Amino acid sequence: MTGTLETSYPSPEASTGLMLWRVTNSWQREIRAILAPFDLTHVQFVLLAVLTAMDYETPLTQRDLAEHAVTDPMMTSQVLRTLEKKGFVERHPHPTDRRARTLTVTPAGATLANRANAAVEEADRAYFSTLGAKGQHFTDCLVTLSVAADTSGKNGSSDQRTGSA
């Protein structure tokens, strides 16, 4: 028996969500392939890049990083343990909060983050080059959606955050 999906779309290509899903999966495959030679998963790269990019005059906690990267705090903690084992991140006791850990990028971590970021940015340019002159408009639309999600709390954060990762 063949089922019948009730939908308001005349074709799958008319569904913005489905198209976003397909493009996201395709783009993530590209990024995974680019990061493989660096021995980094996508989330390891994002956290390492965001941590490297952050200007922190006060002690930066794992929670701060999770909020800035818009990642789950528990997953962030697990990934940071892996990055620490690899020698890319150091975690230290917080000077005033016994429960918190502060973060710093090691010189090796900063070097790796910058090398991997250059490769990811080049992959992004190549992947999105198909859009041609529409590329900036597409990025602007994504920023609009991201800000709306941040404002409504759909990204797990009520703050509006920007950053390159």
Side-chain angles (χ1 to χ4, degrees):
M1 179 173 147
T2 303
T4 303
L5 178 65
E6 293 181 18
T7 177
S8 60
Y9 297 108
S11 70
E13 291 75 19
S15 169
T16 305
L18 179 60
M19 291 299 95
L20 181 60
W21 171 259
R22 287 181 179 177
V23 170
T24 299
N25 283 327
S26 170
W27 173 77
Q28 286 180 335
R29 278 191 301 277
E30 294 285 327
I31 298 302
R32 277 193 300 272
I34 291 300
L35 291 173
F38 297 100
D39 191 30
L40 289 173
T41 65
H42 199 167
V43 71
Q44 288 172 355
F45 165 72
V46 168
L47 290 174
L48 186 61
V50 169
L51 182 59
T52 301
M54 290 181 76
D55 180 22
Y56 38 95
E57 294 177 12
T58 60
L60 178 71
T61 66
Q62 293 175 178
R63 183 162 297 282
D64 296 333
L65 178 60
E67 287 178 12
H68 196 77
V70 192
T71 55
D72 176 74
M74 291 302 293
M75 183 266 310
T76 298
S77 178
Q78 293 168 348
V79 172
L80 285 170
R81 280 195 291 277
T82 300
L83 291 171
E84 184 178 34
K85 287 177 187 171
K86 291 181 175 187
F88 302 136
V89 172
E90 291 178 348
R91 297 182 314 156
H92 301 283
H94 192 280
T96 59
D97 184 348
R98 292 179 312 162
R99 297 166 297 147
R101 307 279 287 171
T102 62
L103 305 171
T104 56
V105 176
T106 66
T111 298
L112 180 64
N114 282 294
R115 287 179 45 234
N117 192 58
V120 166
E121 287 181 358
E122 180 56 36
D124 280 353
R125 278 189 288 279
Y127 187 88
F128 295 107
S129 68
T130 303
L131 294 172
K134 296 184 229 173
Q136 188 57 54
H137 178 69
F138 180 71
T139 301
D140 293 343
C141 289
L142 293 174
V143 168
T144 299
L145 289 171
S146 181
V147 168
D150 287 347
T151 302
S152 69
K154 291 179 183 173
N155 275 346
S157 170
S158 60
D159 294 341
Q160 295 181 12
R161 304 192 188 282
T162 60
S164 174

